[in-house]
Amino acid sequence: HIFGRMREDGVQPDMVSFTSLVDACAQVGDFDRAAGWLDRMKRAGFTPDVHTYNVLVNARAKRGKVTKDPKEVVKAERIVREMLRAGIMPDRISLTSLIDASAQLGDVARAHQWLLEMKALNVQPDAVVYSA
């Protein structure tokens, strides 16, 4: 696999390479494999950051919009809750993904709740948030 090749070439994996692998798996909907790379990242001594988590939140939220499956939005919310438990502050990107997906699925109450949470976390909503 790709990490084996990197090591053969004397290149050590870093945050960017791990996050790229998490993103690639998430973008094609292989969330189990994405979670596996996230676990490998942690075992290798790297702490996932907001960007790493955002690729998972965004992919789940987008999948929910495409499939019209509110369970995907709930899974995206769980990722944001995991971020908060880990002491990683969600940013405008992660929270906008949740607001937009909730609104697109017709769950106005959930979208509004995330808007309130965004404000409580001192993340400033922008025009994109209000147009969701």
Side-chain angles (χ1 to χ4, degrees), residues 2-126:
I2 191 142
F3 271 19
R5 288 185 189 164
M6 287 175 68
R7 287 190 178 120
E8 287 172 8
D9 291 340
V11 178
Q12 291 300 313
D14 60 9
M15 280 291 292
V16 173
S17 55
F18 276 113
T19 298
S20 296
L21 287 165
V22 171
D23 187 32
C25 294
Q27 291 302 318
V28 298
D30 191 345
F31 294 105
D32 290 337
R33 186 166 280 162
W37 282 113
L38 189 65
D39 287 341
R40 286 182 188 152
M41 172 189 270
K42 292 174 185 176
R43 285 194 315 265
F46 295 98
T47 301
D49 62 11
V50 67
H51 304 292
T52 307
Y53 281 107
N54 276 351
V55 299
L56 294 169
V57 172
N58 289 335
R60 284 285 187 190
K62 285 178 187 175
R63 186 175 187 173
K65 290 189 304 186
V66 170
T67 63
K68 306 288 188 219
D69 185 356
K71 291 177 193 167
E72 293 296 333
V73 178
V74 170
K75 290 175 183 178
E77 290 175 341
R78 286 184 192 140
I79 296 165
V80 170
R81 299 278 181 228
E82 180 182 330
M83 290 170 69
L84 289 166
R85 281 191 304 276
I88 299 167
M89 184 63 64
D91 63 8
R92 186 178 295 123
I93 294 168
S94 31
L95 297 169
T96 300
S97 294
L98 294 176
I99 292 167
D100 182 54
S102 297
Q104 293 294 319
L105 292 174
D107 193 341
V108 177
R110 177 173 254 135
H112 184 255
Q113 185 58 42
W114 280 108
L115 177 62
L116 294 176
E117 182 121 5
M118 177 183 257
K119 291 177 180 179
L121 292 169
N122 272 341
V123 178
Q124 292 294 80
D126 60 8

